[in-house]
């Protein structure tokens, strides 16, 4: 069984090692291709994105690694890009960094009154503050706004890959804020899947929530993957690694579930082209 991983952080953002160490681990595991995807720079005081000043060195370093390991593994330069309308989005970043691909992730929904964007997958306390200040504690309105932003990104500024679609569920552990099987929630997700299918984007199946013990299922949940399968939305299996030991965490168990859902193929970037490979082998 051969895996790939295209969602990987490193020292250029909040990852725990140099990109080269992740690659060496990927080679050890027999991966045929690997994508580095730091958080793209953001114009806010935040600890986790790459610094704008590091743009050139990021491009150069991934280029150096592509050449150095050319006989062992294919290396791709990506970024995980936020979509904040009027501020940042995948297409502009893809051009600026000469990227092979982008992962588009909505980590922010609207703004606090002080102009700082509301981070929806960070600390729970911050989530609750924004919920109160921006949405008067109306969780349904907040979640619907989140999915509306994902749809806006998909239509107006599509990335290659839609990142961790339902990560917002971590804020509702044990369904304390909302139930992901509520009719209104399912309808929002369905509407979003329709947009993604229409535009033809890849969705990642992201295992980070499992190994961080935030959620028992990947992003997105298995019931969403069933709805994705009905729409023939292509998937990619990613770990969102922040540490080299995480690059294929929980891939085996998730692969078995995907197979049961009817997903026998994943889409990968290999030999420079997007292609579907059967049963996760190349
Ligand atoms: Zn993310
Ligand atoms: Zn990530």
């Amino acid at each position: 069984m051969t895996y790939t991983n295209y969602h990987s952080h490193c020292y250029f953002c909040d990852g725990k090692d140099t990109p080269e160490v992740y690659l060496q681990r990927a080679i050890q595991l027999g991966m045929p291709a690997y994508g580095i995807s730091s958080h793209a720079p953001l114009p806010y005081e935040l600890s986790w994105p790459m610094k704008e000043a590091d743009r050139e060195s990021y491009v150069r370093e991934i280029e150096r690694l592509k050449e150095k390991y050319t006989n062992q593994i294919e290396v791709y330069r990506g970024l995980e890009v936020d979509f904040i309308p009027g501020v940042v989005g995948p297409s502009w970043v893809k051009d600026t960094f000469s990227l092979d691909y982008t992962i588009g992730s909505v980590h922010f929904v609207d703004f606090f009154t002080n102009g700082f964007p509301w981070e929806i997958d960070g600390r729970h306390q911050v989530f609750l503050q924004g919920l109160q200040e921006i949405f008067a504690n109306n969780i349904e309105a907040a979640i619907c706004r989140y999915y509306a932003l994902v749809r806006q990104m998909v239509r107006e500024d599509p990335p290659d890959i839609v990142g961790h679609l339902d990560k917002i569920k971590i804020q509702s552990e044990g369904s304390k804020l909302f139930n992901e099987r509520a009719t209104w929630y399912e309808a929002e997700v369905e509407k979003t899947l329709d947009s993604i299918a229409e535009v033809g984007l890849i969705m990642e199946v992201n295992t980070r929530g499992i190994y961080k013990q935030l959620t028992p299922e990947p992003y997105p949940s298995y019931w969403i993957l069933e709805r994705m399968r009905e729409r023939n939305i292509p998937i990619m299996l990613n770990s969102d690694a922040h540490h080299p030991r995480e690059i294929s965490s929980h891939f085996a168990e998730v692969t078995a579930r995907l197979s049961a859902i009817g997903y026998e193929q994943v889409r990968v970037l290999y030999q420079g082209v997007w292609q579907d490979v059967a049963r996760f082998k190349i």
Side-chain angles (χ1 to χ4, degrees):
M1 189 72 74
T2 303
Y3 299 115
T4 52
N5 179 36
Y6 298 85
H7 193 154
S8 179
H9 298 277
C10 65
Y11 268 172
F12 279 94
C13 54
D14 58 347
K16 301 289 181 262
D17 224 315
T18 63
E20 189 157 11
V21 174
Y22 291 80
L23 281 184
Q24 286 165 347
R25 176 89 184 116
I27 292 166
Q28 271 174 17
L29 293 175
M31 289 189 178
Y34 198 82
I36 300 287
S37 61
S38 276
H39 289 289
L42 285 165
Y44 305 104
E45 240 352 277
L46 290 158
S47 61
W48 46 268
M50 181 190 298
K51 301 276 171 280
E52 177 59 41
D54 287 336
R55 175 152 50 101
E56 285 301 314
S57 36
Y58 185 73
V59 172
R60 263 204 317 273
E61 176 61 2
I62 309 296
E63 212 52 40
R64 182 184 77 81
L65 296 170
K66 280 181 190 234
E67 283 166 30
K68 180 170 175 185
Y69 292 98
T70 187
N71 295 320
Q72 290 162 281
I73 191 167
E74 292 186 4
V75 181
Y76 291 101
R77 178 169 55 241
L79 280 176
E80 183 179 12
V81 188
D82 276 89
F83 174 69
I84 306 177
V87 177
V88 68
S91 339
W92 182 82
V93 172
K94 190 173 187 179
D95 290 349
T96 325
F97 282 79
S98 315
L99 300 177
D100 297 309
Y101 68 96
T102 52
I103 300 172
S105 299
V106 174
H107 297 110
F108 298 99
V109 171
D110 298 345
F111 299 87
F112 287 104
T113 42
N114 67 4
F116 204 80
W118 177 39
E119 194 174 349
I120 50 86
D121 73 338
R123 288 192 301 122
H124 190 58
Q125 204 47 42
V126 173
F127 184 84
L128 294 178
Q129 276 165 16
L131 184 60
Q132 187 187 35
E133 190 177 315
I134 308 168
F135 291 95
N137 282 331
N138 184 338
I139 187 71
E140 186 175 332
I143 301 290
C144 290
R145 178 71 185 129
Y146 164 77
Y147 280 107
L149 277 168
V150 176
R151 292 191 294 272
Q152 190 183 349
M153 169 180 78
V154 166
R155 283 191 309 266
E156 296 176 9
D157 196 352
D160 296 291
I161 303 149
V162 178
H164 49 61
L165 181 78
D166 66 347
K167 193 177 178 190
I168 199 163
K169 71 187 173 191
I170 62 173
Q171 303 293 353
S172 184
E173 210 184 343
S175 301
K176 64 184 176 201
L177 289 176
F178 63 91
N179 180 347
E180 64 169 309
R181 301 315 300 271
T183 312
W184 66 266
Y185 185 90
E186 287 197 15
E188 269 313 296
V189 170
E190 298 259 8
K191 229 191 318 181
T192 308
L193 297 184
D194 285 340
S195 300
I196 293 167
E198 202 181 300
V199 180
L201 304 183
I202 304 163
M203 283 179 69
E204 71 165 359
V205 180
N206 179 317
T207 59
R208 184 161 176 79
I210 307 177
Y211 62 81
K212 293 299 282 181
Q213 298 182 320
L214 298 171
T215 157
E217 298 193 10
Y219 314 125
S221 295
Y222 291 121
W223 69 267
I224 300 178
L225 277 150
E226 286 169 9
R227 313 281 168 95
M228 288 160 55
R229 185 73 200 87
E230 288 162 11
R231 292 165 172 82
N232 285 319
I233 295 174
I235 56 165
M236 164 181 263
L237 183 58
N238 284 336
S239 75
D240 202 348
H242 285 63
H243 191 286
R245 68 170 172 262
E246 298 166 346
I247 67 174
S248 62
S249 287
H250 291 267
F251 276 13
E253 80 182 53
V254 171
T255 297
R257 291 292 299 267
L258 291 173
S259 213
I261 290 168
Y263 268 117
E264 300 289 357
Q265 295 191 316
V266 284
R267 188 155 296 177
V268 295
L269 183 54
Y270 188 59
Q271 296 177 332
V273 286
W274 293 105
Q275 48 185 294
D276 291 326
V277 292
R279 292 189 178 275
F280 306 83
K281 287 180 185 157
I282 292 179

